[in-house]
Amino acid sequence: MGIYISEFSESMGIEKIAEKLAEELPLEKYKEVYVYGQCVGCMPALEFAERIGERLKCLTLVSPSVKTDLKIRISPWRFLPDSFISGMLVKSGGRKINCSENALARFRCDTERYFRYKPRRYNLGSKCRINVIYGDNDIFVKDGRKTAERTYRLTGIKPKVYKIKGGKHFLNETHSKVVSDIINKS
């Protein structure tokens, strides 16, 4: 199941989104739950994963943006023109993507939420495994090992790190088979 956090009210923070998802999704009918977060969606994935409890089997963070500090609280993307953001998104994925006015508004909303969010320590249960997956050509995630270290500081769980050769930022689209094989092995 994929959920775009931009589908929620702009005023709703990451914690409230995770809370609402945990209340509304029929998670009780599953023995094991896998959670996936992509880019700035990794922080909502952490929040949501914590609410699952012992049924959480695996948290996978792809092209992850995991923060541990509060140095920047305003999205720098707010100040950049649409043409620059479109160019960066195309460059980061290595393909033509839809950068419509609506898509750019969603991007700005998601990044604003991300920068407003205050990270904390997460209790993901004793059975959870964490994967950190990034591409060796990702212009936003230079070193997935640093992200794994930040994830460890936030969760106390040492992530398994996977670097995808030739991968850029949108691994879920360009390397979906590799990503799904990693998740299935978890």
Side-chain angles (χ1 to χ4, degrees):
M1 173 188 320
I3 296 167
Y4 288 98
I5 62 170
S6 4
E7 301 302 319
F8 294 91
S9 161
E10 282 187 41
S11 64
M12 191 179 274
I14 287 174
E15 300 94 333
K16 288 289 183 196
I17 290 171
E19 203 173 282
K20 189 170 175 68
L21 290 172
E23 288 170 2
E24 293 181 3
L25 294 175
L27 298 173
E28 65 280 348
K29 67 181 186 179
Y30 300 102
K31 263 199 301 192
E32 295 177 336
V33 178
Y34 291 72
V35 175
Y36 171 103
Q38 167 88 29
C39 189
V40 296
C42 289
M43 297 314 291
L46 273 164
E47 276 288 340
F48 178 64
E50 183 179 53
R51 287 160 168 79
I52 294 170
E54 289 298 319
R55 287 176 293 144
L56 178 65
K57 177 156 185 192
C58 181
L59 170 64
T60 298
L61 306 174
V62 177
S63 302
S65 189
V66 174
K67 65 180 188 169
T68 56
D69 60 47
L70 303 173
K71 291 178 184 160
I72 301 174
R73 295 301 300 255
I74 297 173
S75 172
W77 296 100
R78 165 193 290 194
F79 305 105
L80 299 170
D82 288 354
S83 59
F84 179 83
I85 294 173
S86 295
M88 287 299 291
L89 292 173
V90 168
K91 183 178 177 183
S92 70
R95 60 182 174 60
K96 184 71 177 146
I97 61 171
N98 175 12
C99 288
S100 67
E101 194 173 304
N102 185 37
L104 290 171
R106 284 194 351 230
F107 174 83
R108 288 182 194 281
C109 176
D110 290 350
T111 56
E112 285 292 332
R113 264 194 196 106
Y114 172 80
F115 282 99
R116 280 193 319 256
Y117 178 70
K118 180 180 178 182
R120 59 184 178 74
R121 181 89 169 155
Y122 304 90
N123 179 7
L124 301 183
S126 60
K127 299 176 189 171
C128 177
R129 280 182 236 134
I130 300 176
N131 298 318
V132 169
I133 307 171
Y134 71 106
D136 63 354
N137 292 319
D138 190 328
I139 63 172
F140 296 120
V141 181
K142 297 293 184 197
D143 187 351
R145 293 170 303 182
K146 289 182 182 176
T147 300
E149 289 167 16
R150 288 191 297 271
T151 303
Y152 175 71
R153 285 197 307 268
L154 292 172
T155 64
I157 300 170
K158 187 169 174 59
K160 180 100 167 109
V161 180
Y162 299 89
K163 179 162 68 170
I164 308 299
K165 187 171 174 53
K168 292 194 175 189
H169 193 66
F170 297 102
L171 293 172
N172 58 323
E173 295 176 17
T174 60
H175 292 75
S176 59
K177 173 83 170 100
V178 175
V179 171
S180 67
D181 287 348
I182 291 168
I183 294 170
N184 287 331
K185 284 193 298 187
S186 299

